[in-house]
């Protein structure tokens, strides 16, 4: 398998490490400048994606660029029957993501949105717990995603609407949490009511509070902030049912708390010897040996490349999941502007 990466920032390097771990050749890298691509240190360097997809024989394009260019770059690959892995949010509007999903399905390419959180073993264990009825009926989910990026002057393109799109923290942080909530509960977000604030004084929200309605009747609350001092990437997720609840925190990814209503709460550790079969397949090391962020990407990409090769593979988030995320962002932006509940329009 041969891949190309467009973008050379932090997340592109995460993709590169995960690809190397599963034995995928990185044949080419594209950046805004050829020097930037050469500094990446692997693959042939390009400063024009059109030239790259025309000259290189690649199987998959990994899109690791600012949000506003995702759609055009993905379409360029799809037009040449190149499979695509795209960072989230998939695009900057539901109109764009809808068209991108249609194009990918029409051409029959494998398409994935990089919701890497699904790749953690204990996230899969939570999904299994819900699916097997351990929690009873799901009543509500709640949590937060906090970081402190906006407190530093070099926050980068994410605070620039021309590159980030109409949202900062809902698009950048919230889409991860909301996809996790849908994945674990098996329910889809149908409507949101949102409060946006920009405590840093920028043009996009760096704080958002969301009320959420789900298709199966569950309720949700979500707090997002890029201005929480000392919080680097806390994605906290809690799921409450009639019989039990679950708690998981990305900052401590190898532990999950089960909270039965009529018994002792207990910590479930990442352990391939005791976790569910599907969760165990996502773990590579014995209990007590930490694995997390990088391995979650590796798990996602392993499933994608198995699909590209036509082999049996685990489920992974496609452009359909990415489109859902963008549609939720659109609804959140409308709610923040107009007030009240806004339905998610697919």
């Amino acid at each position: 398998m041969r891949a190309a990466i467009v973008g050379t920032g932090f997340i592109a390097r995460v993709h590169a490490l995960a690809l190397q771990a599963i034995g995928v050749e990185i044949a080419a890298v594209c950046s805004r400048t050829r020097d930037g691509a050469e500094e990446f240190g692997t693959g042939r360097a390009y400063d024009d994606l059109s030239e790259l997809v025309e000259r290189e024989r690649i199987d998959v394009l990994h899109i690791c660029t600012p949000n506003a260019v995702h759609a055009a770059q993905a379409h360029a690959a799809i037009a040449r029957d190149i499979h695509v892995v795209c960072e989230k949010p998939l695009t900057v509007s539901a109109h764009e993501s809808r068209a991108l999903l249609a194009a990918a399905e029409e051409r029959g390419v494998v398409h994935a949105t990089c919701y890497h959180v699904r790749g953690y073993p204990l996230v899969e264990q939570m999904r299994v717990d819900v699916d097997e009825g351990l929690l009873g009926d799901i009543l509500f989910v709640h949590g937060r995603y906090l970081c402190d990026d906006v407190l530093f002057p070099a926050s980068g393109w994410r605070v620039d609407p021309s590159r980030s799109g109409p949202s900062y923290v809902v698009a950048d942080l919230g889409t991860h949490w909301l996809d996790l909530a849908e994945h674990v509960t098996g329910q889809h977000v149908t409507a949101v009511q949102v409060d946006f604030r920009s405590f840093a004084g920028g043009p996009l929200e760096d704080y958002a509070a969301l009320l959420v309605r789900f298709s199966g009747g569950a309720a949700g609350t979500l707090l997002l902030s890029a201005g929480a001092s000392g919080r680097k990437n806390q994605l906290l997720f809690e799921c409450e049912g009639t019989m039990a609840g679950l708690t998981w925190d990305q900052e401590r990814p190898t532990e999950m708390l089960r909270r039965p209503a009529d018994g002792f709460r207990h910590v479930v550790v990442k352990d391939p010897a005791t976790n569910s079969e599907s969760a165990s397949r996502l773990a590579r090391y014995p209990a007590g040996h930490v694995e997390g962020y990088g391995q979650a990407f590796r798990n996602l990409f392993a499933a994608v490349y198995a699909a590209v090769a036509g082999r049996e593979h685990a489920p992974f988030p496609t452009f359909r999941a990415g489109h859902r995320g963008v549609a939720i962002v659109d609804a959140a932006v409308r709610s923040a502007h107009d007030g009240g509940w806004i339905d998610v329009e697919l």
Side-chain angles (χ1 to χ4, degrees):
M1 290 289 177
R2 304 177 84 244
I5 300 174
V6 55
T8 53
F10 162 77
I11 200 63
R13 297 184 183 279
V14 173
H15 280 235
L17 287 171
L19 289 173
Q20 290 164 353
I22 63 172
V24 173
E25 176 189 355
I26 301 171
V29 173
C30 184
S31 183
R32 285 180 292 173
T33 66
R34 193 171 294 269
D35 286 346
E38 289 174 348
E39 290 171 4
F40 196 76
T42 184
R44 276 178 290 279
Y46 290 85
D47 58 9
D48 184 329
L49 182 61
S50 298
E51 182 183 3
L52 186 157
V53 296
E54 181 178 345
R55 292 189 175 185
E56 298 288 342
R57 182 185 58 80
I58 59 171
D59 299 293
V60 184
L61 177 68
H62 287 247
I63 298 175
C64 302
T65 49
N67 308 339
V69 294
H70 286 180
Q73 292 172 342
H75 278 294
I78 292 167
R80 291 183 171 271
D81 297 318
I82 297 169
H83 311 289
V84 181
V85 175
C86 186
E87 270 298 327
K88 53 77 227 167
L90 183 58
T91 65
V92 296
S93 74
H95 173 75
E96 282 189 346
S97 59
R98 189 179 301 111
L100 192 57
L101 172 61
E105 290 185 338
E106 181 180 352
R107 298 291 290 203
V109 300
V110 173
H111 46 92
T113 305
C114 201
Y115 289 135
H116 74 276
V117 180
R118 296 195 195 188
Y120 287 102
L122 290 182
V123 167
E124 174 62 14
Q125 186 63 57
M126 287 194 293
R127 189 199 66 77
V128 170
D129 283 359
V130 171
D131 186 58
E132 293 184 347
L134 184 66
L135 276 67
D137 296 330
I138 303 303
L139 302 176
F140 63 98
V141 295
H142 56 109
R144 59 183 180 258
Y145 196 147
L146 305 179
C147 69
D148 59 3
D149 291 357
V150 81
L151 301 181
F152 299 89
S155 293
W157 58 264
R158 289 176 177 82
V159 297
D160 178 359
S162 68
R163 305 181 73 193
S164 183
S167 167
Y168 174 16
V169 293
V170 176
D172 191 47
L173 308 178
T175 50
H176 275 307
W177 192 98
L178 292 160
D179 179 73
L180 167 62
E182 291 194 336
H183 179 62
V184 169
T185 65
Q187 301 184 29
H188 289 153
V189 174
T190 59
V192 294
Q193 184 172 4
V194 179
D195 179 35
F196 278 6
R197 303 289 180 90
S198 178
F199 292 116
L204 298 176
E205 89 286 356
D206 54 62
Y207 166 97
L210 286 74
L211 298 176
V212 185
R213 290 173 178 163
F214 288 86
S215 57
T221 60
L222 171 61
L223 179 67
L224 305 167
S225 174
S229 296
R231 285 293 185 193
K232 300 305 178 182
N233 272 284
Q234 188 198 35
L235 189 164
L236 175 67
F237 177 77
E238 299 195 277
C239 185
E240 313 297 345
T242 53
M243 295 167 55
L246 301 172
T247 299
W248 181 79
D249 186 341
Q250 184 179 241
E251 289 186 334
R252 302 182 67 180
T254 58
E255 296 181 357
M256 181 259 285
L257 185 64
R258 280 197 189 121
R259 299 176 277 104
D262 60 352
F264 295 105
R265 66 181 190 172
H266 58 281
V267 174
V268 178
V269 298
K270 181 224 70 174
D271 183 356
T274 61
N275 297 153
S276 69
E277 181 180 353
S278 57
S280 296
R281 285 198 296 266
L282 299 179
R284 289 172 179 80
Y285 310 120
H289 295 275
V290 176
E291 54 187 307
Y293 182 72
Q295 285 81 9
F297 279 86
R298 177 175 172 174
N299 286 334
L300 170 61
F301 295 166
V304 171
Y305 279 81
V308 170
R311 302 194 308 269
E312 183 178 352
H313 60 86
F316 56 84
T318 66
F319 281 6
R320 189 166 295 280
H323 171 51
R324 290 198 55 78
V326 175
I328 297 170
V329 173
D330 276 7
V333 171
R334 286 178 56 204
S335 177
H337 183 268
D338 299 337
W341 285 95
I342 300 295
D343 291 338
V344 175
E345 298 180 359
L346 297 175

